[in-house]
Amino acid sequence: MINVVVPLTLPAKETEDTGHAEPRPFIPVSGRPLGQHVVDNIRPSFEHQFIYVVDPEVMTMHRRRSLGISSDSQVVYSWSAPRTMAAAVCMARESINMSEPLVIAACEQYIDVDLDRFYIAGMDVGADAAVLTFPGDRTPKYSTSMIYKNRVVEMSEHRVISEMANAGVYYFKDGQTFFDAAVEALTKTHAADSALTMSGIFNTLIEAGSNIVPCPLPEGVFKPLHTSIDLSLFAARTDLQVQRAA
């Protein structure tokens, strides 16, 4: 079974303007919250468990129902407002099976391909970890990965090091791999502001000789959900259907 962690606690970047007062996951798009569209998009077709990291002051029962969170999903309440995706995942440690594959996904993108092949690729090639990438525009809007001979050899959170941007979906062969690297990353303080980042965790694995595989997306299939323009374009789609509970 794959554990899929979706942090719903992260603050929006100061430069982003969604045009809504609601937190991003709860912005209504085509009759249901944005977070539900994202979760349906990243949902594996095989056995899985969703784990949501939420702010208890934001996640009311009404909002939980609106997201379609099923009773067999785990909901982790975080009072400390983690600053990064990696830090939010650490809040869910007790809910993550250390011996099962782990997927971590942001709630600010939509991928126009079947993501099962990404999950399966990570498992089939024996990767320690994998990252979904897309052709970026060489701006610091997204973290980036430097790739050499079909391996990720460096990842950067704030500095543009290649044309391959990270799409916000990450795979680890098991939960233990993520948490061991997180502890090591914190001791090395990869991030300039001492925050635990996905780049810091991946760079720790790379330095240890781990097999980190990029999964490049075709041009145009990565859809950002950051600004009011992004959301307007997304809402104009005709294929946003209501799907089963997460």
Side-chain angles (χ1 to χ4, degrees), residues 190-206:
H190 281 277
D193 59 359
S194 299
L196 180 65
T197 64
M198 295 304 296
S199 294
I201 290 172
F202 271 86
N203 286 333
T204 295
L205 290 171
I206 292 166

Side-chain angles (χ1 to χ4, degrees), residues 43-55:
R43 183 195 312 278
S45 65
F46 36 88
E47 189 178 9
H48 63 276
Q49 176 178 249
F50 275 101
I51 302 168
Y52 301 90
V53 183
V54 305
D55 182 339

Side-chain angles (χ1 to χ4, degrees), residues 4 6 35-36 38-40 42-43 48-52 64 67-74 243-246:
V4 185
V6 184
Q36 197 176 60
V38 172
V39 167
D40 285 340
I42 63 177
R43 183 195 312 278
H48 63 276
Q49 176 178 249
F50 275 101
I51 302 168
Y52 301 90
R64 175 168 176 159
L67 284 179
I69 296 177
S70 64
S71 58
D72 58 350
S73 296
Q74 295 279 339
Q243 301 186 23
R244 61 191 184 282

Side-chain angles (χ1 to χ4, degrees), residues 102-176:
L102 171 65
V103 169
I104 301 169
C107 193
E108 54 188 23
Q109 76 289 315
Y110 193 91
I111 313 297
D112 260 336
V113 294
D114 182 1
L115 289 180
D116 271 1
R117 66 182 187 181
F118 168 61
Y119 309 136
I120 293 171
M123 293 182 281
D124 283 354
V125 301
D128 295 300
V131 56
L132 203 63
T133 64
F134 68 98
D137 56 7
R138 298 197 68 86
T139 64
K141 184 188 303 183
Y142 305 101
S143 61
T144 51
S145 291
M146 185 177 294
I147 299 167
Y148 179 71
K149 292 186 177 180
N150 200 35
R151 292 292 183 271
V152 178
V153 296
E154 184 182 356
M155 188 178 290
S156 176
E157 200 78 15
H158 306 293
R159 180 170 52 92
V160 178
I161 59 174
S162 82
E163 295 181 353
M164 299 309 296
N166 300 328
V169 184
Y170 306 88
Y171 165 90
F172 295 86
K173 69 177 182 181
D174 51 43
Q176 195 66 57

Side-chain angles (χ1 to χ4, degrees), residues 15 29 107 135 196 207 217 237 240 242:
T15 56
V29 178
C107 193
L196 180 65
E207 291 171 10
L217 292 168
R237 297 172 64 110
L240 301 181
V242 176

